[in-house]
Amino acid sequence: MSIPSSIIHLSDLRKSYFLGKQELPVLKGINLDILRNEYVALMGPSGSGKSTLMNILGCLDRPSQGKYILNAKDVSHMPDDALADVRNKEIGFVFQQFNLMAGRTALENVALPLVYAGVSRNLRNEKAMHMLERVGLADRSHHKPNELSGGQCQRVAIARALINDPSLILADEPTGNLDTKTSIEIMDIFTAIHAHGNTVVLVTHEEDIATYAHRVVRLRDGLIESDKLTRQAAKALN
Ligand SMILES: Nc1ncnc2c1ncn2[C@@H]1O[C@H](COP(=O)(O)OP(=O)(O)OP(=O)(O)O)[C@@H](O)[C@H]1O
Ligand SMILES: [Mg+2]
């Protein structure tokens, strides 16, 4: 049974990759509920299955077995086009490598999801500009990725992830390529996104970064090893 306020409900979720005929089990039975407006850090050793899980949560991939209920919809075994539709409407994904289009300006990169959504050019630009303002980059709207710093590129990627007003923001090591000062700036943006009402799930290797979240879920060898509230959660309750 799914808890009504869960945005994410996973039950006995499993994922294997196949190398030829050899099965490589990576996720080995994950049970997890994430409530609306939670702020979760996903941690665990390299190879424990964090990115595999994030890709499933982000509807970029499907589980081999088990259930994934997203916003009360069973997306576990949806066909590709239906899954893409859910992804575009419900999810904003931020990657470690930013994944921006090199030939396009910051504004064009941010507006891109709206092109797929069929929004007119004027409205696209207006909304993209507003998102760039939210991440503090209005003055760089006409710069291309190679004319921006790493932290600025990540802000553009965050603005792009937010433009469809998704309920769920997923970020796989969003500060993995950034120095400490820039990482803190990026984490402040995630904190603001969370305060704005979004559910945030982010992967990090760094304990300092995880302290921004309200809950830390640790994976080990494809299973949840621990699941704990952080001091931020205690502060938020007071
Ligand atoms: N497309 C794939 N085909 C086959 N094996 C894969 C594939 N993607 C990941 N794996 C394997 O699955 C396991 C988990 O990988 P995953 O990328 O989820 O780990 P991770 O926890 O994100 O690690 P890291 O912290 O290094 O990013 C690893 O053993 C990896 O080699
Ligand atoms: Mg990974």
Side-chain angles (χ1 to χ4, degrees), residues 77-106:
H77 305 289
M78 266 190 179
D80 284 348
D81 50 346
L83 200 61
D85 203 44
V86 171
R87 185 166 69 232
N88 291 338
K89 289 204 181 101
E90 318 250 4
I91 290 160
F93 213 120
V94 177
F95 303 87
Q96 180 175 357
Q97 318 285 354
F98 321 134
N99 291 11
L100 299 176
M101 307 271 270
R104 306 209 186 203
T105 65

Side-chain angles (χ1 to χ4, degrees), residues 6-44:
S6 288
I7 184 167
I8 290 171
H9 172 74
L10 306 179
S11 70
D12 198 29
L13 190 98
R14 292 165 190 267
K15 176 75 182 179
S16 292
Y17 294 111
F18 284 88
L19 301 168
K21 282 190 177 160
Q22 200 185 346
E23 182 178 358
L24 176 71
V26 173
L27 300 177
K28 301 176 181 172
I30 303 277
N31 296 297
L32 182 67
D33 276 279
I34 294 178
L35 306 183
R36 220 165 279 286
N37 198 217
E38 272 201 291
Y39 189 172
V40 179
L42 185 58
M43 302 193 78

Side-chain angles (χ1 to χ4, degrees), residues 46-47 49-52 96 172-173 203 205:
S46 181
K50 302 180 299 294
S51 293
T52 301
Q96 180 175 357
D172 195 347
E173 299 198 46
V203 172
H205 275 117

Side-chain angles (χ1 to χ4, degrees), residues 63 71 78 83 91 115-116 146 191:
N71 268 329
M78 266 190 179
L83 200 61
I91 290 160
V115 175
Y116 303 131
N146 66 353
T191 298

Side-chain angles (χ1 to χ4, degrees), residues 46-81:
S46 181
S48 56
K50 302 180 299 294
S51 293
T52 301
L53 179 57
M54 289 293 272
N55 288 343
I56 293 172
L57 294 181
C59 297
L60 294 164
D61 200 359
R62 269 179 295 246
S64 311
Q65 279 180 59
K67 253 201 191 356
Y68 175 18
I69 313 284
L70 170 65
N71 268 329
K73 217 180 288 164
D74 190 341
V75 297
S76 324
H77 305 289
M78 266 190 179
D80 284 348
D81 50 346

